[in-house]
Amino acid sequence: MRLVPLTLDYELTEFNCGDEQLNNFLYEDAKPSLEFRIANTFILEDNGRIVAYFCLLNDKISKDEVIGSRWKKIRAEFPKGKQFRSYPTIKIGRFAVSQDYRGLHIGTYLMEKLKLMLYERQGQSAFRYITVDAYLSAVEFYGKNGFVHLTKKDEDEHTRLMFFDMMEMGE
């Protein structure tokens, strides 16, 4: 298997993760998002088959999104003079694994590759966290991969805002 960046001339093959929105993003929105510099998509291939994909875009964690003690813990990680109202993040906009590859821990493998890729490219753009608006069905997956809830404000929503601290990669 190999991870490749989506390009405008990449020939998309069959992919079905079982979620129409995630499937449609790959076929309808991934290339326009690349073309208009909104998000970059990466595809995990296996002998020409699309196994999984994720897309990344820029984001931020801001004081306005986070309530109470979580924001205090985030700010406490930074020295005085570097405690801002927001901090840069990379957001996982989409993350999907083909139904044909379910149960093989492809998602965890891909998440490890994603984190390592971002860690190794840290000189290109500075960011501290990875964020994701996790579908409720995927909250457990992200939790097992080191993500924690950012706020309790979204407990009754269809997605939960979660984050991973890239400083954990150096430990």
Side-chain angles (χ1 to χ4, degrees):
M1 283 193 238
R2 68 185 190 122
L3 186 63
V4 298
L6 178 72
T7 59
L8 294 177
D9 61 346
Y10 185 96
E11 292 292 328
L12 292 167
T13 58
E14 185 179 332
F15 177 81
N16 183 6
C17 69
D19 182 296
E20 188 175 343
Q21 282 186 321
L22 292 172
N23 292 337
N24 287 345
F25 174 83
L26 182 61
Y27 292 111
E28 298 171 12
D29 297 326
K31 286 184 179 181
S33 293
L34 172 65
E35 183 177 14
F36 293 108
R37 302 179 64 90
I38 296 169
N40 292 324
T41 300
F42 297 84
I43 296 175
L44 185 65
E45 297 178 328
D46 182 26
N47 294 321
R49 293 184 67 192
I50 299 175
V51 174
Y53 79 90
F54 62 85
C55 81
L56 301 174
L57 58 145
N58 293 326
D59 196 16
K60 68 178 179 174
I61 293 175
S62 71
K63 184 178 193 287
D64 299 334
E65 297 175 299
V66 186
I67 56 175
S69 62
R70 178 68 71 196
W71 183 252
K72 289 176 186 172
K73 288 178 185 175
I74 289 171
R75 282 194 69 189
E77 294 288 325
F78 297 90
K80 297 275 189 240
K82 300 296 180 209
Q83 294 181 340
F84 305 120
R85 292 187 55 82
S86 66
Y87 296 100
T89 74
I90 298 288
K91 184 176 207 116
I92 300 171
R94 299 286 189 270
F95 191 101
V97 177
S98 169
Q99 286 182 321
D100 296 339
Y101 289 83
R102 292 268 165 85
L104 301 175
H105 305 286
I106 297 293
T108 298
Y109 168 79
L110 188 57
M111 183 61 68
E112 290 170 5
K113 287 196 72 82
L114 180 158
K115 289 177 186 176
L116 187 59
M117 177 185 82
L118 291 174
Y119 184 76
E120 290 174 345
R121 295 183 184 172
Q122 64 186 352
Q124 293 178 1
S125 180
F127 66 96
R128 172 69 185 258
Y129 305 101
I130 301 173
T131 56
V132 65
D133 291 318
Y135 288 162
L136 295 181
S137 60
V139 166
E140 184 178 344
F141 165 78
Y142 287 105
K144 287 179 181 178
N145 284 280
F147 286 75
V148 295
H149 296 286
L150 192 56
T151 182
K152 292 184 179 193
K153 291 191 295 187
D154 59 1
E155 286 181 323
D156 296 327
E157 303 293 326
H158 70 281
T159 61
R160 296 290 313 270
L161 182 56
M162 300 180 78
F163 76 105
F164 175 80
D165 188 343
M166 288 298 290
M167 296 299 279
E168 292 182 28
M169 294 291 293
E171 297 175 354

